[in-house]
Structures are given as C-alpha cells and as structure tokens.
Amino acid sequence: DTGVSQDPRHKITKRGQNVTFRCDPISEHNRLYWYRQTLGQGPEFLTYFQNEAQLEKSRLLSDRFSAERPKGSFSTLEIQRTEQGDSAMYLCASSSGLAGYNEQFFGPGTRLTVL
Amino acid sequence: GENVEQHPSTLSVQEGDSAVIKCTYSDSASNYFPWYKQELGKRPQLIIDIRSNVGEKKDQRIAVTLNKTAKHFSLHITETQPEDSAVYFCAASIEDKIIFGKGTRLHILP
C-alpha cells in the first residue's frame, strides 16, 4: 500500500492515560501534517513537519500534545493525561513539499475515545 | 490567522440537478484552494483544487471558481448522482498550512 497509513485505527482509553499514535506518510513525501476532526467539523490543523523539522504548531496543541518525526519518515503524536475533550479523529496527511504541488493525501485516521 | 466560512451546512438537491457550495476566506495571502470530499467513515479526498492565479477550473461534472477580490470561491457540481452524497470541505492554504471550512453535507434525493 503506497498511501498514508495510521496506527492504531481506534483507541479507547481512560481519562488521564497517555496515548501515542503513529503515521507513515507516502514514501518520499517531505511534509507531514496532523489534524484533529470532531463530529460535524472540518479537520483542524495541529502541526506539520518538513522532513524532521517541526515548522508550525497550532494554538490547539496544548502542552499535553507532542509530535515527533525523528528520521523524517514516520511521525508520532502523543497525548499525555488525556481528557474527554480529546476524543476526536486524528488525521495525518502528507505532501511532496515540491513547489506547486500542494495536494495533501490523508490517512484513514485514528479515532480516539476518552472515557 | 486564516478563517474559512462555508455555506450552506446542509444541501439537498434532486438527482440530476446542480449543487453549489460557497466559501469565503479572510487572508488575502492564501494562494491555494482545495476541495475535499469525505464519505461517512472515510478519509477526506481531494476532488479539485484551484490556485490564486486562476479564476476557474473544471473537471468533468465539477467546477470551482475563485474571486480573489471578494475572497470568495465556490464549488459547482452538475448532473448530480447518488454517489455525490457526502460531506464537502472547502479550504484555503498559505504555505501548505490548510485551513478547512466546517463542511457541507450534500444529500442527493432520488
């Protein structure tokens, strides 16, 4: 499969626990993005990477959220001390990063439920 | 920062009729405007996009128009079919950061 993949697809956790999600972008895509989508809303930008460098973080990304892309390939998103308000679909996307090629390809998402 | 408004939130059209979804954006520096279709339980998928140096783009039954002066852009779907039923998101992008509208749920009525 040459598309964006995410793992796990579903995660149920208790409030206060830590969770970590993984995203594998399309091979050789330089840019990787994380979004959060709640029911009835559009995806909300969280952060993005150019290779291993984290270039921008949204105000939505509180101190409990951290994202990494250590080798410029896959990325992880960790949420510490989860809260019920963190329940959402977490989407990852990647793009080539080449000038004039903006299309972002989305993964299937990780649905987080915090009890 | 950029803000994207999308209307209507819900749209029902008879099969075969046209559907129009309208969006506005706030940041005149936005230069890329993609439209995504999201079916229930699926990932968003790009259906068409337009850049700020173009006023209109068409791909079969789908067309997008952009008015940079008014900061408006619209999606037009002609000859709608049942498989067009989905949620559609407009978006505006500055330097690859995409800001999405809240979506339009399109229902195609038989």
Side-chain angles (χ1 to χ4, degrees):
Chain A
D1 187 355
T2 57
V4 179
S5 61
Q6 292 186 244
D7 184 71
R9 297 289 305 276
H10 304 273
K11 178 69 177 180
I12 299 174
T13 191
K14 292 183 178 179
R15 189 175 53 187
Q17 298 295 304
N18 299 343
V19 294
T20 300
F21 310 141
R22 176 178 169 127
C23 171
D24 286 88
I26 292 172
S27 179
E28 297 182 357
H29 271 191
N30 294 326
R31 295 199 172 183
L32 186 149
Y33 309 79
W34 285 100
Y35 293 87
R36 181 172 66 189
Q37 187 176 25
T38 53
L39 199 63
Q41 301 293 317
E44 296 175 297
F45 170 81
L46 294 179
T47 188
Y48 87 100
F49 294 83
Q50 168 80 27
N51 297 314
E52 65 273 12
Q54 189 172 17
L55 297 186
E56 188 168 348
K57 292 171 60 173
S58 165
R59 293 190 304 273
L60 295 174
L61 218 62
S62 77
D63 291 344
R64 297 184 297 105
F65 289 70
S66 62
E68 295 182 341
R69 194 183 183 198
K71 298 182 180 179
S73 56
F74 72 91
S75 175
T76 58
L77 178 69
E78 181 183 16
I79 309 174
Q80 296 182 326
R81 304 181 303 281
T82 52
E83 302 173 355
Q84 288 184 325
D86 297 332
S87 295
M89 176 74 83
Y90 290 84
L91 292 164
C92 174
S94 70
S95 70
S96 66
L98 298 175
Y101 290 88
N102 304 77
E103 181 177 357
Q104 294 186 17
F105 296 84
F106 281 84
T110 294
R111 181 169 296 284
L112 173 65
T113 301
V114 181
L115 302 177
Chain B
E2 176 64 280
N3 182 51
V4 177
E5 298 286 339
Q6 182 171 350
H7 301 280
S9 57
T10 305
L11 179 61
S12 297
V13 299
Q14 289 294 137
E15 183 178 347
D17 288 350
S18 296
V20 180
I21 302 171
K22 298 183 179 182
C23 293
T24 61
Y25 62 100
S26 60
D27 194 330
S28 56
S30 291
N31 56 11
Y32 173 66
F33 304 89
W35 286 84
Y36 282 83
K37 176 183 180 181
Q38 188 174 30
E39 297 178 46
L40 190 63
K42 301 279 184 68
R43 72 191 77 187
Q45 293 200 308
L46 182 75
I47 55 171
I48 195 167
D49 55 14
I50 191 168
R51 300 184 189 282
S52 57
N53 59 348
V54 175
E56 184 173 354
K57 183 177 179 181
K58 189 173 182 179
D59 182 4
Q60 300 183 335
R61 297 186 297 108
I62 296 173
V64 59
T65 59
L66 172 65
N67 182 329
K68 285 176 56 180
T69 303
K71 290 187 270 188
H72 290 175
F73 57 117
S74 301
L75 177 73
H76 303 251
I77 306 174
T78 58
E79 301 172 10
T80 52
Q81 301 170 3
E83 55 265 35
D84 295 330
S85 292
V87 179
Y88 292 80
F89 294 100
C90 63
S93 176
I94 305 173
E95 297 179 352
D96 291 320
K97 172 182 163 182
I98 292 182
I99 303 300
F100 286 82
K102 293 190 174 183
T104 296
R105 182 171 298 279
L106 177 61
H107 299 277
I108 306 301
L109 306 173

